[in-house]
Amino acid sequence: MRKFIGWKATGMGILFFVLLQTLSFSQTDKSPFADIDNNRVLPMLKSLPRTYGGMNIPAADGRFLHDLIIENKYQRGLEIGTSNGYSGLWLGLAFQETGGKLITLEIERKRAEEAQGNFIKAGLDQVIDARICDAFKEIPEIEGEFDFVFIDAWKPDYMEFLQLVRHRVKPGGLITAHNVLNAGREMQDFLDALKTDQGLETKIVRNSNAGLSISIIKK
Ligand SMILES: C[S@@+](CC[C@H](N)C(=O)[O-])C[C@H]1O[C@@H](n2cnc3c(N)ncnc32)[C@H](O)[C@@H]1O
């Protein structure tokens, strides 16, 4: 699956065409767990209890984001909305492979502590900095730039989060967001902003019913 996802060496249009190819390929591809050989993380990716009303991303979406990070060798990620850490396991596993780091933010203490426990159990706690905080307050306090952002908090907040991170992501980096299809009506302002922002090129990926937006910061 991975060889279809890399895009740094290609032009923007081609890379999005390639990405679209990836989408249809991913949907018919083998298991999202194929070739994941980390025996500590794999059982958790397969069967982490879906606590908190099934808010976790589907495995297919996790695999897609994981592969994007690895193919593009991203080094510094930010996740907004950790919950119990399921998506963080996918992202953290990818950053472990690239030698990068992930900061993930969760406002609810119980969920965040559960996630921290899961990251320790997975052996990813040195890669993932899991913070218990309000992302609106925390993001302005974090220094430096990111090359990968994943927004998966409450849907009407996406626009405000976009504004907070928009100029914190390097050219060639990505701003990604979850539930853009099944909760699109709750984030219309965000979807409109992705369309009209001349500095972004965005595609909507349907690996699952939820839908992911993938926006690359133009160079
Ligand atoms: C859909 S869940 C995240 C699921 C997780 N990404 C996964 O796939 O495993 C959304 C989470 O965002 C958290 N959240 C909402 N607003 C937040 C904020 N302002 N700061 C930090 N976390 C927030 C919620 O408490 C909730 O746990």
Side-chain angles (χ1 to χ4, degrees):
M1 172 152 54
R2 285 189 197 160
K3 64 188 163 120
F4 292 88
I5 298 180
W7 60 28
K8 276 205 171 144
T10 62
M12 286 290 168
I14 294 172
L15 69 86
F16 272 94
F17 173 76
V18 171
L19 184 58
L20 279 177
Q21 294 301 304
T22 307
L23 311 189
S24 46
F25 181 78
S26 301
Q27 284 168 24
T28 56
D29 198 15
K30 50 195 176 187
S31 157
F33 309 109
D35 312 319
I36 302 284
D37 51 14
N38 182 318
N39 289 331
R40 252 172 111 173
V41 183
L42 184 58
M44 300 178 77
L45 293 177
K46 285 185 171 171
S47 62
L48 194 77
R50 299 296 175 127
T51 46
Y52 311 113
M55 291 191 304
N56 304 125
I57 59 169
D61 290 344
R63 178 59 187 260
F64 187 82
L65 296 172
H66 164 278
D67 289 356
L68 278 177
I69 291 165
I70 291 177
E71 248 346 279
N72 293 289
K73 301 184 177 62
Y74 290 136
Q75 292 296 306
R76 192 164 192 244
L78 173 70
E79 177 183 50
I80 308 171
T82 319
S83 189
N84 63 342
Y86 183 72
S87 52
L89 290 172
W90 280 108
L91 305 181
L93 186 63
F95 281 110
Q96 185 179 56
E97 189 159 333
T98 66
K101 301 270 188 208
L102 172 72
I103 297 173
T104 182
L105 311 177
E106 172 55 52
I107 197 166
E108 297 283 340
R109 175 164 294 276
K110 189 163 177 281
R111 292 175 200 184
E113 288 178 349
E114 192 176 323
Q116 288 169 340
N118 285 329
F119 297 149
I120 291 169
K121 189 174 166 197
L124 292 173
D125 53 309
Q126 298 303 307
V127 177
I128 305 174
D129 173 358
R131 303 186 185 179
I132 307 172
C133 61
D134 180 349
F136 285 120
K137 294 184 183 153
E138 187 70 9
I139 292 169
E141 301 298 320
I142 302 171
E143 290 185 0
E145 292 184 300
F146 303 99
D147 46 23
F148 179 89
V149 172
F150 178 48
I151 306 174
D152 192 23
W154 302 144
K155 310 312 160 189
D157 293 339
Y158 277 29
M159 180 64 197
E160 214 174 318
F161 283 128
L162 177 65
Q163 288 166 338
L164 272 181
V165 300
R166 172 65 182 84
H167 296 289
R168 306 282 307 275
V169 182
K170 293 177 185 171
L174 296 182
I175 298 172
T176 66
H178 203 239
N179 303 107
V180 299
L181 292 176
N182 67 351
R185 274 181 295 183
E186 295 176 58
M187 55 174 89
Q188 197 53 56
D189 52 353
F190 168 78
L191 296 174
D192 290 344
L194 294 185
K195 267 190 215 154
T196 54
D197 187 330
Q198 298 296 306
L200 296 178
E201 186 154 353
T202 298
K203 290 292 174 195
I204 306 298
V205 175
R206 189 191 282 273
N207 287 308
S208 70
N209 288 338
L212 282 165
S213 64
I214 311 288
S215 305
I216 188 165
I217 315 297
K218 290 183 187 171
K219 292 186 178 173

